Every structure is written in structure tokens, then in C-alpha cells.
Amino acid sequence: MSDEIMPFWTGDYYNEGSGRDGIFDKLKEECGVFGVFGHPEAASISYYGLHALQHRGEESAGLCVANGTEFNYHREMGLVKEVFDRDKLSSLQGDRSIGHVRYSTSGDSRVTNAQPLIFKYRDGDLAVATNGNIVNAPKIRRELEQSGSIFQTTSDTEVIAHLIARSSKDFVEAAKDALHQLVGGFAFLLMTNDKLLVASDPNGLRPISMARLGDAYLFSSETCAFEVVGAEIIRDIRPGELLVLDANGLREDRYAEPQRKALCAMEYIYFARPDSDLNGSNLHSARKRMGQVMAQESFVNADVVTGVPDSSISAAIGYAEQTGIPYELGLIKNKYTGRTFIQPSQELRELGVKMKLSAVRRVVEGKRVVMIDDSIVRGTTSRRIVNLLREAGATEVHVRITSPPFKNPCFYGIDTPDRSELIASSRSIEEIRQEINADSLEFLSADGLIQAVGGDNKDDYKGGMCMACFDNDYPTRTDFNGEEKYGCTS
């Protein structure tokens, strides 16, 4: 799946209504979070952190800053660089902050759902930002509404604020009880005027890490954001853990016992930036190993190896190194296509593919090409890219996918189509090969993926990963008698 390949826009702001109608059937991570505690330039640091996480959500951005007595916040639709300017950042004074970048894919695309969400309750102000999906949010929401709660957004993130507000306990204990009621994959940042809480779900499905910058603590969905601001990485937040930061410093606590470690496999395969680390494993290195293992499992004679930019470049390099077949830039991504308000007819969609991704004729013409990609969702992306290579003169196109077949929907925060729309759920590998017009097609095995990821959890069940999208083995309950949430956080 090509990284950052944009749909056509017909709305007022960047990526309005993006999701399943784009040119490419690209999976989307719905958001990223970034937090700062104890730094006088919290807003500016958060701005750079959110910019580094932009790939995790391109529709809205928000930042809330606390100075000990009040909140200052700004949220808007658009990219981080569009939402914040010098004046807006200068108005956000305080030494602690939480920020958010978001895709909306299953919920409403509007600024009221942009995070952090801000609430007033008996103990003052509360700001909430999350990455992930609460599977049982509809059930909890219905129960809360029946007992008198009035919701202001369609976001499932709002559920935790109502649970906290209804508790008679102090903020930390109320947050523990609220988190304990949630089922799903999530990483939460919760901030009051004097406290910052950081929590990871009991399976660690969604990534969140901690770093130090001088005396300040920083938190991020990906470690690449720490590198941008010069922070020193400390560790990942553990499953079921709750960190409490206030005037007394950092206190490590937990709200639930850890369950089997199940970090989303697609973070390794596709979502996270290659300069990020997950569970002690660098993503670029892990993806190179995926390509190397792929070569061992599914070698094919060819003249060049190329990767679909950007997420598959590392794997393509690994495949080339393992086989000795030269790696070449057979596909080039144009990052400067900008906006277009052309209506997306089928013909213009095909032109949009070529406008965003080009095959290098002098590299692939007359050659047998191995095309490395990270996954196949509906199959339309792979077919379009294979055809680009053929039109540029490739004599053979052999597709190698560095993940197992994607057969099942995700309940934990990835925008996936219904099972019936996932091509691998109903077709054999040979049928998919014919559908995408490739000369051959192979997928990385589940064991190969676990071997390639390595890291700190290589001895854990399935390498410490959730692989439910491949094998239907979900680490949490997913059925709440029809009152469960599918897709991404609203």
C-alpha cells in the first residue's frame, strides 16, 4: 500500500471525508498522541512531536496546555502545520500538554470530534486524547445515556470522561475504575489542571512510549517524535499500566493486570515510521528482515527488486540483499501533487494514480520485476501498481507481500473494510494473483513475520503481536450482543 497517497478532495479542508473512497485502498491508523509534563515550552515541543506523528492522522489536529490554573487549547481540521501558527502556539502557555492528530474514518468528520476533548466536571477541567478503539463503547454509552448522561460528541473517547465524572472517588481512582471498564486497544492521555495520566490497554495493542527531556517527561505514540525534539527514550508503557504525574513527580501504578502482549502487527508492517522503535525493535531493521525472510520463503528469478514507496522500501532492500537481485527505484512517489477539486470519476482516479505514483521506465523496461508491498486489502491498489509497471515495459511482475493475507477486520483502531470487502477473505492466493494481474504472488508466513520482528518479545505468544487480521485470533472479547464498535475511533 502506498504511503500518503491522497484521495481527491471535494471539501473545504485537507483530507475532508477521507477514508474508503480514496484512489488507493490504503489502511489508515486513526490517530497519534503526544504529551509533555514539566517543560515551560510544552506547546512548542508538542507541535514538533505532533508534526512527527502526522502520518498517523491527517484530518484534524489539537493541543491542550495546562498552566496549573486553567486550560488553553486549540483544535481544528487540517494538518498540524495548517492548524497551528506562531500566534496560536504563543497563546498556549503552560508546562504540560496533550496533543492529538486524527483520521476520522467511521465517525463524523467535524471539529467537535477533534481531540483532545475538553470537559468541565466537579474537580475542574479534564482533557482526554486517545489512540485506539473502545470496542464496548456503544454498550457503555447506551447505559450512561439511560442514566442521564448527555453526550456532546459522537466520539467513543467521550465515554471515559462520563465514567470519571460519575464516580465519587478522587480523579486517579475514578480513572482507574473507568479504564477497567473499557475493552479494546487504546493508549490514553488524561490531563487535569494539576495531573497527567498515561494509560495503555491490558494487551498493549496500541503503542505508547515515554522519554525524558531535561527534567520533563514526554509521551508519544511513536519514538520518532522523541528524536525530533532531542528527548531520551526511557521505555514503553506496559500493558494495563497507569502513570500518574503531578507535583510529586512520576508514580507508576496500574489499573488492570496485564494480559497477553498483543501489539498490533500492522504497526510493524506498515503504520509506524521506519525510524521508530517498537518493543526494542527498530522498524527499518524489522522490515528489512521481513524482506529477507520473504526472499527465503518465496524466491523468484528476476532482474530488479523495487518497493512501493514509502512503507515497503525497507523490505525491498532486505529482499534484494538476501537474493542478490539489484534493488532499484522502479516506483517513484510524487509528494507535491497538492489539492485537487476534480470530481473522482474512474478515469480521473486512474490518472490520479499516475499523478501520485510513477514507474521509472528506464529501470523496469524489458525487466523481470519483483514488486514488494506490505499488504493487500481489496486488491485495487496492487492491480493499479502492477499495471503501472507493465505499462512502463516490465516483462514480468512478481508481487511479494511482507505480511500474511489480510482476511479479518480490526476492532482496535485500524480502518478496515467489512470482511466481505477483504479480497483474501474469499479468494485463494491464485485467484488474488489473477485479480491483480501479477505473474506470481506470495505472502510472508505468520512464522516468518514473527521471526522478522524479533525485539524484546520474541519469546512471547506470536512474538507479542496481535495478528487477528490474519488469523482471526482476537486478544479481547469483541462481541457485546450487537452493542460493539467496529472500525476506528470516531
Side-chain angles (χ1 to χ4, degrees), residues 103-399:
Y103 274 121
S104 72
T105 47
S106 68
D108 292 342
S109 174
R110 56 183 183 177
V111 73
T112 54
N113 283 335
Q115 297 185 32
L117 298 181
I118 313 297
F119 306 95
K120 295 282 187 180
Y121 82 119
R122 66 177 185 279
D123 291 333
D125 297 319
L126 172 63
V128 184
T130 185
N131 169 25
N133 189 52
I134 303 169
V135 183
N136 63 335
K139 179 177 183 293
I140 296 174
R141 185 181 182 120
R142 182 182 63 82
E143 293 169 352
L144 288 168
E145 288 176 333
Q146 288 178 344
S147 61
S149 292
I150 300 174
F151 283 75
Q152 304 300 313
T153 74
T154 60
S155 171
D156 62 1
T157 304
E158 189 176 353
V159 164
I160 193 170
H162 285 266
L163 292 173
I164 291 172
R166 292 172 67 86
S167 174
S168 60
K169 298 179 180 179
D170 66 63
F171 173 62
V172 174
E173 292 303 314
K176 284 184 184 180
D177 289 349
L179 289 163
H180 193 72
Q181 295 181 56
L182 307 182
V183 177
F186 49 81
F188 270 103
L189 297 178
L190 301 104
M191 187 173 70
T192 64
N193 290 319
D194 61 352
K195 286 183 174 61
L196 176 64
L197 272 56
V198 185
S200 175
D201 70 80
N203 297 96
L205 280 151
R206 303 258 63 89
I208 186 165
S209 301
M210 173 170 57
R212 289 293 297 269
L213 181 61
D215 295 329
Y217 287 95
L218 275 58
F219 304 91
S220 176
S221 293
E222 288 188 37
T223 61
C224 63
F226 298 145
E227 299 290 344
V228 169
V229 298
E232 179 184 359
I233 299 170
I234 300 175
R235 64 174 177 86
D236 297 329
I237 309 306
R238 303 180 184 99
E241 187 173 27
L242 178 70
L243 299 183
V244 181
L245 297 99
D246 56 22
N248 297 317
L250 169 67
R251 175 163 61 92
E252 298 177 351
D253 202 344
R254 63 172 48 256
Y255 69 91
E257 290 303 310
Q259 305 301 311
R260 76 165 171 101
K261 180 66 175 172
L263 179 62
C264 173
M266 289 305 295
E267 294 281 357
Y268 289 100
I269 295 165
Y270 170 61
F271 288 124
R273 272 180 30 171
D275 53 339
S276 288
D277 295 342
L278 291 175
N279 287 329
S281 180
N282 169 256
L283 269 298
H284 168 68
S285 298
R287 288 169 185 165
K288 275 189 68 176
R289 291 192 296 270
M290 291 176 201
Q292 291 166 348
V293 176
M294 183 89 247
Q296 295 166 6
E297 293 183 346
S298 305
F299 172 79
V300 62
N301 275 315
D303 302 304
V304 297
V305 176
T306 193
V308 178
D310 288 318
S311 59
S312 301
I313 298 299
S314 299
I317 292 171
Y319 190 99
E321 287 182 357
Q322 185 68 31
T323 60
I325 301 170
Y327 166 77
E328 296 285 357
L329 286 175
L331 293 164
I332 300 293
K333 183 173 70 173
N334 178 7
K335 298 182 180 181
Y336 305 103
T337 54
R339 288 185 171 202
T340 176
F341 293 92
I342 300 172
Q343 293 298 318
S345 66
Q346 183 58 36
E347 292 80 7
L348 289 172
R349 284 178 183 270
E350 298 301 329
L351 286 177
V353 175
K354 294 180 180 179
M355 185 172 74
K356 193 64 187 179
L357 193 67
S358 301
V360 184
R361 180 174 295 273
R362 293 297 179 91
V363 170
V364 304
E365 190 171 26
K367 304 287 182 60
R368 299 168 298 173
V369 178
V370 179
M371 186 193 93
I372 307 295
D373 207 352
D374 50 69
S375 59
I376 295 179
V377 184
R378 294 180 178 86
T380 54
T381 295
S382 297
R383 181 173 66 251
R384 286 165 174 157
I385 300 175
V386 168
N387 288 338
L388 278 180
L389 292 167
R390 292 196 185 282
E391 290 167 11
T395 58
E396 298 176 11
V397 181
H398 301 275
V399 177

Side-chain angles (χ1 to χ4, degrees), residues 427-447:
R427 291 177 175 83
S428 67
I429 293 177
E430 172 58 21
E431 289 171 331
I432 299 172
R433 181 199 68 77
Q434 295 177 19
E435 181 74 18
I436 67 173
N437 194 29
D439 290 281
S440 71
L441 169 66
E442 298 291 346
F443 292 83
L444 183 64
S445 69
D447 288 342

Side-chain angles (χ1 to χ4, degrees), residues 397-417:
V397 181
H398 301 275
V399 177
R400 297 294 181 266
I401 305 298
T402 55
S403 67
F406 201 111
K407 297 181 178 181
N408 309 294
C410 177
F411 301 105
Y412 306 121
I414 298 175
D415 175 33
T416 51

Side-chain angles (χ1 to χ4, degrees), residues 467-483:
M467 301 175 64
C469 53
F470 310 131
D471 61 15
N472 207 38
D473 180 13
Y474 295 95
T476 75
R477 180 182 174 188
T478 58
D479 180 12
F480 293 87
N481 300 317
E483 292 189 82

